[in-house]
């Protein structure tokens, strides 16, 4: 390890992280040194993400330069015109993001690769849009999205505008590994500009993205937008300017931004955890909504690729919608408004099955993928045809993509679409709650929940135990179908077996006789088991929604309790 540390100190271009590392050496902090040098931040399908600091297991200038070198070398090796097509680079408002982005540009231009670089902070979906707009070979966003302040990340898009999937992730990782043992070339950005290798993306590019969304037929439903009032927060991220502009373009005149959270600030001073799903993260925007009596309290996460919303109730309070509820509402709305032939929708294996039922009722085409937006958009591109163009996809973790202007989740287009849906309902004297109840009454009330079980380090694989002794029933409900994504088989209770057309993954899905579903997915990075539950409660004509919700909640509690007991027993 001493050799590795000495080599690192010799290569690290940043005096700040060199000093940080030297202090750990001088104070003999062996545990911290071991943690930072025990491995390297793994480059995967989401790129890189980790805590900022010194060492190969942290985000810093040397790791960024090595990563960018590996990315550039992989692009040049696999795409014959990569240098000419170039790479689009953007960054969020975290303290190191701009410098990391400029490092990336210096490395890529030194390899002769053209770079399109945003002049200032940019929403992540805007970079994904830029890749397609410029016909670039790839895109990079320096962002840690909704992670805590100590983190940063390096997210990579391929030339199709979607997040990278195999084999590109492992191919880039191999090149990064080689780069850690090479001299790293850099080109001064002013020189890169003079040599025609660097193009600064100024306000006109931001306006191009804005114009593209405004021109989308799916975001052109201008039904009495002035009747809906919206409280909004960018959560100290990069979304406010574009979100406010798009809402104004769409005719929404009553928009109230949370001033204390409007400007980019990577220290996130008013939230413990800048993720709209976390308790307390929406408190300030809900307070803003109450102050104005707003219809909606909306949020983007700090890089504006996710969207969250709380809706005013009859009592005047605000209740958060789940990602599944927003996904189903948007899916239903878009399917009933899209032009003929634009009818391909999808979601992930752990999201609600309700979108499938809504699609079936609209005679639309539905697809399902592994978790992660990288799968949703790449599969959508493969599945769509002239007769069935892509319309919408979502995942339960607050990610939505509306149409194909952006081939990744986009919290800004989702914000506009949801506001337009709300306005149209209001013009009919209806609320979001009325619409949700209408969908539930037609298709059943689908309730979803997730629980994680901590396992002892080194504990036997739960997945393998379940495969060795497949459960015949769960919580008194018979297992009708077991989907084993590791073996790519769908096994029916009568013994019939069918192939599953999904990439292999250590996931087991149990479909029960009452329509319930249990998904078991071991974590790949820590001793933890993730369990996803779904129960379905039909609502009779004379039934009240409240009674159905209570039955569903009781059924969910029973399912979770008995299933977890069976795993831990």
């Amino acid at each position: 390890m001493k050799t590795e540390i000495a080599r690192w100190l010799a290569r690290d271009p940043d005096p700040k992280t060199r000093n940080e590392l030297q202090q750990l050496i001088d104070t003999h902090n062996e545990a911290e040194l071991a943690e930072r040098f025990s491995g390297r931040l793994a480059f995967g399908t989401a790129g890189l993400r980790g805590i900022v600091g010194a060492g190969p297991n942290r985000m810093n200038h040397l790791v960024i330069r090595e990563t960018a070198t590996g990315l550039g070398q992989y692009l040049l090796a696999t795409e014959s015109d990569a240098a000419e097509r170039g790479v689009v680079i953007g960054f969020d408002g975290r303290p190191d993001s701009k410098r990391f982005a400029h490092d990336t540009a210096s490395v890529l231009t030194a390899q002769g690769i053209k770079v399109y670089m945003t002049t200032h902070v940019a929403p992540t979906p805007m970079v994904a849009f830029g890749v397609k707009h410029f016909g670039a070979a790839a895109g990079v966003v320096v962002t840690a999205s909704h992670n805590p302040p100590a983190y940063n990340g390096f997210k990579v898009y391929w030339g199709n505008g979607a997040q990278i999937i195999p084999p590109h992730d492992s191919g880039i990782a191999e090149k990064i590994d080689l780069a850690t043992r090479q001299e790293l070339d850099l080109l001064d950005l002013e020189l890169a500009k003079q040599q025609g290798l660097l193009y600064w993306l100024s306000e006109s590019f931001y306006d191009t993205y804005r114009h593209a969304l405004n021109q989308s037929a799916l975001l052109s439903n201008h039904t009495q937008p002035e009747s809906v009032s919206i409280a909004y927060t960018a959560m100290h991220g990069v979304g406010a300017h574009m979100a406010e502009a798009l809402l104004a373009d769409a005719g929404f005149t009553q928009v109230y931004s949370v001033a204390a959270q409007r400007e980019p600030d990577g220290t996130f001073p008013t939230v413990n955890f800048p993720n709209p799903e976390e308790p307390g993260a929406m408190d300030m925007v809900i307070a803003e909504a109450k102050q104005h009596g707003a219809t909606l309290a909306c949020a983007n996460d700090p890089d504006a690729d996710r969207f969250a919303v709380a809706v005013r109730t009859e009592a005047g309070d605000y209740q958060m919608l789940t990602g599944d509820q927003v996904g189903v509402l948007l899916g239903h709305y878009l399917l009933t408004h899209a032009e003929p032939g634009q009818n391909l929708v999808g979601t992930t294996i752990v999201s609600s099955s309700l979108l499938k039922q809504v699609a079936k009722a609209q005679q639309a085409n539905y697809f399902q993928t592994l978790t992660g937006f990288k799968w949703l958009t790449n599969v959508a591109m493969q599945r769509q045809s002239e007769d069935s163009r892509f319309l919408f996809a979502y995942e339960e973790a607050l990610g939505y993509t509306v149409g194909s202007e952006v081939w990744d989740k986009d919290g800004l287009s989702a914000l506009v679409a949801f506001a337009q849906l709300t306005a149209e309902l209001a013009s009919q004297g209806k609320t979001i709650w009325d619409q949700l109840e209408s969908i539930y009454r037609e298709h059943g009330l689908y309730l979803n929940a997730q629980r994680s079980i901590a396992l002892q380090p080194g504990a036997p694989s739960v997945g393998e135990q379940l495969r060795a002794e497949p459960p015949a029933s769960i919580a008194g409900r018979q297992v009708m179908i077991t989907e084993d994504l590791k073996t790519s088989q769908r096994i029916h209770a009568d013994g019939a077996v069918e192939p599953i057309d999904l990439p292999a993954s250590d996931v087991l899905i149990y479909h029960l006789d009452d329509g319930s579903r249990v998904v078991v997915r071991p974590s790949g990075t820590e001793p933890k088991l993730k369990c996803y539950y779904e129960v379905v409660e039909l609502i009779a004509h004379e039934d009240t929604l409240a009674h159905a919700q209570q039955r569903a909640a009781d059924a969910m509690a029973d399912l979770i309790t008995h299933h977890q007991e069976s795993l831990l027993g």
Side-chain angles (χ1 to χ4, degrees):
M1 192 167 78
K2 285 181 180 176
T3 307
E4 281 295 307
I5 291 171
R7 202 171 76 88
W8 185 271
L9 282 168
R11 282 170 67 85
D12 190 352
D14 187 355
K16 181 181 170 188
T17 44
R18 285 203 308 271
N19 291 339
E20 180 186 319
L21 193 52
Q22 191 61 55
Q23 192 171 1
L24 293 174
I25 295 166
D26 294 343
T27 56
H28 304 289
N29 193 337
E30 300 294 332
E32 186 68 18
L33 286 168
E35 202 278 323
R36 291 172 185 236
F37 283 83
S38 60
R40 183 182 177 85
L41 280 183
F43 186 91
T45 47
L48 283 185
R49 192 167 291 176
I51 295 170
V52 175
N57 207 21
R58 294 285 185 272
M59 290 290 293
N60 51 62
H61 285 274
L62 181 53
V63 162
I64 288 291
R65 291 178 182 185
E66 290 169 343
T67 301
T69 299
L71 171 62
Q73 290 177 351
Y74 182 78
L75 282 168
L76 292 172
T78 56
E79 299 289 311
S80 59
D81 55 355
E84 185 184 328
R85 289 168 62 198
V87 175
V88 180
I89 303 176
F91 54 92
D92 70 10
R94 289 169 188 260
D96 295 289
S97 292
K98 185 175 182 179
R99 291 171 65 211
F100 287 169
H102 285 197
D103 273 353
T104 303
S106 291
V107 167
L108 293 175
T109 53
Q111 296 180 25
I113 298 172
K114 186 193 298 181
V115 164
Y116 302 91
M117 164 73 77
T118 63
T119 55
H120 52 284
V121 295
T124 288
M126 207 172 84
V127 176
F129 166 81
V131 173
K132 291 293 284 180
H133 175 70
F134 292 109
V140 172
V141 192
V142 179
T143 178
S145 189
H146 56 278
N147 282 75
Y151 284 73
N152 214 322
F154 184 98
K155 183 175 186 177
V156 181
Y157 292 98
W158 200 242
N160 62 1
Q163 293 179 47
I164 54 169
I165 56 171
H168 301 311
D169 51 354
S170 57
I172 295 168
E174 287 172 14
K175 294 291 188 183
I176 294 168
D177 192 47
L178 293 174
T180 64
R181 299 186 290 277
Q182 298 171 355
E183 287 294 315
L184 303 176
D185 296 324
L186 297 167
L187 182 61
D188 177 79
L189 293 186
E190 188 54 43
L191 280 175
K193 185 173 184 296
Q194 290 171 17
Q195 293 176 22
L197 287 169
L198 176 64
Y199 297 82
W200 290 105
L201 299 179
S202 57
E203 206 58 48
S204 63
F205 170 63
Y206 294 68
D207 287 340
T208 301
Y209 166 80
R210 177 179 170 183
H211 181 72
L213 263 58
N214 285 335
Q215 293 302 303
S216 167
L218 301 174
L219 300 175
S220 299
N221 179 6
H222 305 300
T223 308
Q224 299 178 21
E226 67 285 345
S227 67
V228 168
S229 51
I230 299 166
Y232 171 81
T233 181
M235 214 162 280
H236 299 296
V238 299
H241 176 75
M242 190 61 72
E244 291 163 3
L246 289 168
L247 287 170
D249 293 344
F252 292 92
T253 54
Q254 300 182 71
V255 178
Y256 311 98
S257 257
V258 177
Q261 295 179 329
R262 187 180 183 279
E263 301 305 320
D265 185 343
T267 66
F268 305 108
T270 67
V271 284
N272 293 326
F273 199 138
N275 179 353
E277 290 183 294
E278 291 292 320
M282 295 280 287
D283 286 358
M284 290 187 79
V285 73
I286 287 173
E288 186 83 20
K290 283 181 178 174
Q291 183 183 333
H292 300 284
T295 317
L296 305 174
C298 298
N300 288 133
D301 68 338
D303 69 331
D305 65 349
R306 285 174 170 83
F307 166 70
V309 59
V311 182
R312 190 178 62 207
T313 66
E314 277 189 22
D317 298 321
Y318 289 82
Q319 185 178 324
M320 278 278 291
L321 293 178
T322 67
D324 281 315
Q325 288 174 323
V326 174
V328 166
L329 283 161
L330 282 175
H332 181 276
Y333 165 71
L334 293 166
L335 281 167
T336 53
H337 286 70
E339 57 188 43
Q342 192 170 16
N343 61 5
L344 180 63
V345 298
T347 189
T348 68
I349 57 172
V350 300
S351 300
S352 174
S353 306
L354 181 50
L355 182 61
K356 182 179 183 180
Q357 302 306 318
V358 170
K360 190 176 177 182
Q362 296 296 326
Q363 297 181 312
N365 293 318
Y366 170 85
F367 67 95
Q368 197 177 44
T369 70
L370 298 181
T371 56
F373 241 86
K374 59 184 177 283
W375 296 115
L376 283 170
T377 48
N378 278 289
V379 170
M381 287 184 218
Q382 295 166 8
R383 293 285 182 92
Q384 71 171 351
S385 64
E386 271 188 41
D387 299 328
S388 183
R389 298 187 312 284
F390 175 72
L391 175 63
F392 173 72
Y394 90 92
E395 62 179 356
E396 90 296 345
L398 309 184
Y400 317 92
T401 186
V402 176
S404 53
E405 277 77 22
V406 175
W407 283 107
D408 193 19
K409 52 185 175 291
D410 184 348
L412 296 162
S413 56
L415 166 67
V416 175
F418 198 87
Q420 291 179 333
L421 156 65
T422 306
E424 182 180 89
L425 289 171
S427 73
Q428 300 165 2
K430 296 176 184 174
T431 67
I432 287 291
W433 303 114
D434 294 331
Q435 183 70 347
L436 203 53
E437 179 173 350
S438 172
I439 294 170
Y440 286 157
R441 285 191 176 278
E442 182 177 353
H443 301 289
L445 195 162
Y446 284 65
L447 183 63
N448 294 74
Q450 188 214 323
R451 297 288 185 274
S452 291
I453 304 174
L455 304 172
Q456 291 297 320
S461 165
V462 175
E464 293 315 307
Q465 288 178 336
L466 290 169
R467 289 182 180 94
E469 298 178 43
S473 65
I474 296 174
R477 303 152 168 94
Q478 186 183 351
V479 176
M480 303 304 292
I481 298 172
T482 300
E483 294 179 326
D484 186 346
L485 302 193
K486 193 170 184 179
T487 62
S488 299
Q489 290 186 321
R490 180 178 293 109
I491 305 152
H492 293 258
D494 62 7
V497 177
E498 301 167 346
I500 297 175
D501 184 22
L502 285 173
S505 182
D506 191 5
V507 179
L508 287 160
I509 305 172
Y510 301 101
H511 298 273
L512 310 182
D513 60 6
D514 64 347
S516 301
R517 184 190 68 188
V518 176
V519 182
V520 178
R521 184 165 71 94
S523 170
T525 56
E526 52 192 325
K528 184 194 287 186
L529 194 70
K530 292 186 175 180
C531 302
Y532 300 84
Y533 301 95
E534 178 172 83
V535 298
V536 183
E537 192 65 45
L538 298 179
I539 309 176
H541 179 70
E542 65 281 2
D543 216 347
T544 67
L545 179 62
H547 282 150
Q549 287 171 324
Q550 186 58 55
R551 291 198 306 272
D554 292 344
M556 178 64 78
D558 180 69
L559 181 59
I560 291 173
T561 300
H562 284 91
H563 180 248
Q564 303 237 324
E565 282 175 357
S566 72
L567 291 177
L568 297 171

